[in-house]
Amino acid sequence: MRKNCGISGTSGLGAPLPGTPGLGRRAMLGATGTLALAVAAGNLSAGRAGAAERFQDDPFALGVASGDPWPDGVVLWTRLAPRPLTPDGSGGMSSRAVKVLWEVADDERFERVVSRGWTRAVAELAHSVHVEVTGLAPARTYFYRFQAGGVISPVGRTRTAPAPNSRPTSLSFAFASCQAWFEGFYSAYRHMAEEDIDLVLHLGDYIYENPIDAMGGVRNTPVAAELRGEPMNLAQYRNRHALHRYDPDLIAAHQAHPFAVVWDDHEVEDNWAADRSKHVDVDPAVFRVRAAAAFQAYYEHLPLRLPNKPQGFDARMYRSLRYGRLATFHILDTRLFRDDQACGDGTRTGCDERLDPGRTILGAEQERWLYSGLGRSDATWNLIPQQIAMNQVDTDPGPGQSFVMDFWDGYAASRQRLFDQIVARNVSNPVVLTGDMHRHLAADLKRDFDRPDSPTIGVEFIGTSISTKKDGVDLDPSGASLLAANEHIKFTNYQRGYVRCTATAESCRADFRVLPYVTRPGAPVSTRISFATEAGRPGVQQV
């Protein structure tokens, strides 16, 4: 009925967890604490499993999450961490393995349990668990929970993908990126939790590795000295993740929707490229050790499937998710397999190295995987979630051109190969979904960006940051320069927020959601503008 990706598991429904009162939707999303109910004596395996471990503090302080929906199931996540920010990275847990039970039900009262089992949370993975549940029905909402040591977790809600050959009438999703904890509150996630969507895509910079001051930046929250420095080892990366995760708004969003996540640079270090640090004097072998620690901590804190579990410096985050014949997500990793940034990184004018035909941002294997997947796809929409701006971003509003070497502009031949494949394989309706820029942006993807009359072969929607760069403004000077220098860029905005999308057989629409401030909590959200692209007619149009 299911597969457990913990250390061990059982088959069959087994014993139920104790019943809990029903939670309304808003009450459920606000339930960031646990229901601390003792397991009734004699309640079969649930009672015996909890007997070995008793918690003085809430072991589910970091919440629950689900991710990577398939038509028959999802991966469920939690991490036992009663004291999430202990300096040793243990989350307040001993080295002992803990038995964790889980349940999935049709209803939030768990009167109709459809699957249950157990796994073991082990210290080697920071007592995180990743349970891959199968045997579920497609396109269905389910509720899930965990139990450990006599404590029951909050109830999470998730949704499976549609059947592979079905034709859903619509798909709604949101995408987000860039959430520096010390630069703003996560009010955007509280609003996202209330959205009626099927999936959330997180496109990178889930944490920031920058040093933090004693009062946590704009959070004005004391931060222990051991947690302030730039993380370099596994314990420090675990604590940096726990610091970002230990937020009620982010917990609420994970509790409300399944996520599909992929890293960018700040999960390790700003602008890293394969095994190259931004610091040129760091030996690649030394950097690989640091990156491996960062990779493991990332896996430990997010709802990822077993194939995405890193093995040291080896990891595969690129993958696809199918939503019937309406849409396929081709999720890319533009960090681990790229060549080093051209011309020493930064923003450059006249950098010939960026045009080198041998340069790649995806690596040969990922390129082949992407081209094959795009070519085989029978979906109406081919959605490409990835990290950094794919459209040409000339930063010089004058007659010259200047490009950011970390963007696809620094890997021009790699971008051209992708565009050539999209045309040659007659890929249906490509839509690139991007983070990183800390700004909203809507652009046409041109076969040749230097010729305005060149054919448009797809579109790119770029989402701003959740909190990075603090409050922002509607149109900043850099945004005005981008509009002046790039005819294919139709809109940009420099406030914080996220993007909500709706795909149907006729169109793919992006609502650019913005918050007026993030340097204090409780900001409202609104839609600044909406753009759409019509099926069979590439190009963005305001709606």
Side-chain angles (χ1 to χ4, degrees):
M1 181 178 252
R2 81 207 134 270
K3 178 170 64 176
N4 285 320
C5 286
I7 300 301
S8 61
T10 59
S11 59
L13 285 178
L17 300 186
T20 59
L23 294 173
R25 181 169 186 240
R26 290 181 181 269
M28 183 190 75
L29 298 181
T32 56
T34 62
L35 301 176
L37 302 179
V39 179
N43 192 17
L44 299 179
S45 63
R48 291 193 295 272
E53 186 80 19
R54 293 296 175 184
F55 298 103
Q56 299 300 314
D57 300 290
D58 178 5
F60 299 103
L62 296 178
V64 300
S66 67
D68 276 27
W70 290 355
D72 67 341
V74 296
V75 57
L76 306 180
W77 172 94
T78 194
R79 179 192 171 196
L80 303 181
R83 295 187 299 280
L85 300 178
T86 53
D88 64 358
S90 68
M93 296 290 292
S94 71
S95 60
R96 186 171 57 228
V98 178
K99 191 172 184 178
V100 180
L101 289 92
W102 56 269
E103 286 184 331
V104 178
D106 280 330
D107 67 306
E108 58 191 290
R109 295 179 62 90
F110 287 81
E111 294 175 346
R112 298 187 302 277
V113 173
V114 298
S115 188
R116 68 165 58 96
W118 64 271
T119 187
R120 289 170 63 212
V122 298
E124 290 80 4
L125 291 175
H127 290 92
S128 65
V129 297
H130 301 73
V131 179
E132 295 188 26
V133 183
T134 60
L136 304 181
R140 286 278 296 276
T141 297
Y142 289 96
F143 300 87
Y144 63 93
R145 62 184 179 181
F146 299 90
Q147 182 265 322
V151 182
I152 299 175
S153 77
V155 174
R157 182 180 61 218
T158 192
R159 186 169 179 81
T160 52
N165 292 316
S166 63
R167 296 183 180 274
T169 57
S170 67
L171 165 66
S172 295
F173 61 93
F175 66 92
S177 65
C178 304
Q179 52 197 48
W181 177 86
F182 45 86
E183 288 198 329
F185 289 87
Y186 291 168
S187 305
Y189 278 125
R190 180 62 58 171
H191 295 294
M192 193 184 295
E194 293 290 335
E195 299 273 18
D196 184 12
I197 52 179
D198 300 295
L199 178 71
V200 175
L201 299 158
H202 196 283
L203 303 181
D205 296 346
Y206 195 90
I207 65 167
Y208 274 71
E209 85 289 7
N210 309 65
I212 301 174
D213 67 35
M215 292 305 296
V218 304
R219 296 274 182 150
N220 197 31
T221 300
V223 178
E226 298 90 343
L227 308 181
R228 298 176 202 160
E230 185 172 343
M232 293 289 176
N233 59 40
L234 180 56
Q236 292 167 344
Y237 276 110
R238 283 172 172 170
N239 275 329
R240 191 53 63 97
H241 272 278
L243 184 68
H244 284 68
R245 282 299 299 258
Y246 199 28
D247 179 280
D249 294 336
L250 180 55
I251 288 171
H254 275 291
Q255 194 176 335
H257 308 300
F259 273 55
V261 302
V262 65
W263 56 44
D264 191 19
D265 55 341
H266 287 286
E267 286 87 353
V268 182
E269 176 195 73
D270 181 38
N271 279 23
W272 65 282
D275 60 0
R276 300 298 181 93
S277 167
K278 68 176 179 179
H279 303 291
V280 296
D281 58 339
V282 174
D283 186 277
V286 173
F287 182 76
R288 285 195 292 270
V289 174
R290 179 187 180 185
F295 293 174
Q296 179 170 332
Y298 184 83
Y299 174 79
E300 290 170 347
H301 287 84
L302 289 163
L304 288 158
R305 292 180 179 271
L306 189 59
N308 306 121
K309 181 178 181 292
Q311 302 296 322
F313 187 67
D314 293 328
R316 174 170 168 163
M317 287 294 158
Y318 62 89
R319 60 204 189 275
S320 62
L321 294 175
R322 180 180 173 93
Y323 275 71
R325 298 186 66 179
L326 180 60
T328 295
F329 294 97
H330 309 266
I331 302 171
L332 305 185
D333 175 357
T334 61
R335 283 290 156 196
L336 184 54
F337 309 103
R338 65 159 69 191
D339 290 319
D340 203 2
Q341 288 92 347
C343 296
D345 206 358
T347 302
R348 298 284 183 261
T349 300
C351 174
D352 291 338
E353 185 184 358
R354 77 180 191 91
L355 305 175
D356 185 334
R359 287 176 55 76
T360 178
I361 199 169
L362 299 177
E365 182 178 341
Q366 186 177 189
E367 283 194 25
R368 288 191 295 269
W369 167 85
L370 176 60
Y371 303 158
S372 176
L374 290 171
R376 292 195 313 268
S377 175
D378 60 357
T380 299
W381 297 99
N382 284 283
L383 307 171
I384 306 176
Q386 53 98 52
Q387 292 72 56
I388 39 88
M390 185 179 289
N391 77 95
Q392 182 168 286
V393 183
D394 180 6
T395 64
D396 184 352
Q401 289 184 316
S402 187
F403 300 109
V404 177
M405 295 299 100
D406 193 58
F407 291 178
W408 283 75
D409 284 324
Y411 304 80
S414 199
R415 177 174 61 199
Q416 196 58 55
R417 286 193 296 272
L418 172 57
F419 286 9
D420 289 346
Q421 289 289 323
I422 286 173
V423 173
R425 295 174 184 260
N426 195 28
V427 175
S428 175
N429 302 312
V431 176
V432 177
L433 311 170
T434 302
D436 181 73
M437 282 191 76
H438 313 145
R439 66 172 63 251
H440 285 317
L441 191 146
D444 291 337
L445 296 179
K446 310 293 288 187
R447 188 74 187 270
D448 182 349
F449 286 106
D450 292 327
R451 290 178 45 238
D453 61 346
S454 176
T456 298
I457 65 167
V459 303
E460 181 172 21
F461 297 132
I462 298 179
T464 190
S465 64
I466 290 289
S467 60
T468 305
K469 299 300 182 183
K470 304 179 183 178
D471 291 340
V473 295
D474 184 24
L475 182 62
D476 63 319
S478 294
S481 293
L482 294 181
L483 293 174
N486 302 274
E487 187 174 327
H488 56 278
I489 296 178
K490 307 302 181 182
F491 164 76
T492 189
N493 163 279
Y494 195 58
Q495 292 172 286
R496 311 284 74 85
Y498 57 95
V499 182
R500 181 184 62 199
C501 295
T502 303
T504 67
E506 293 75 34
S507 69
C508 182
R509 171 180 174 142
D511 301 322
F512 292 93
R513 306 280 275 165
V514 298
L515 282 70
Y517 53 85
V518 294
T519 51
R520 61 188 192 275
V525 70
S526 61
T527 297
R528 168 63 178 81
I529 199 170
S530 297
F531 281 87
T533 180
E534 296 180 16
R537 297 181 60 188
V540 294
Q541 301 292 332
Q542 184 178 345
V543 293

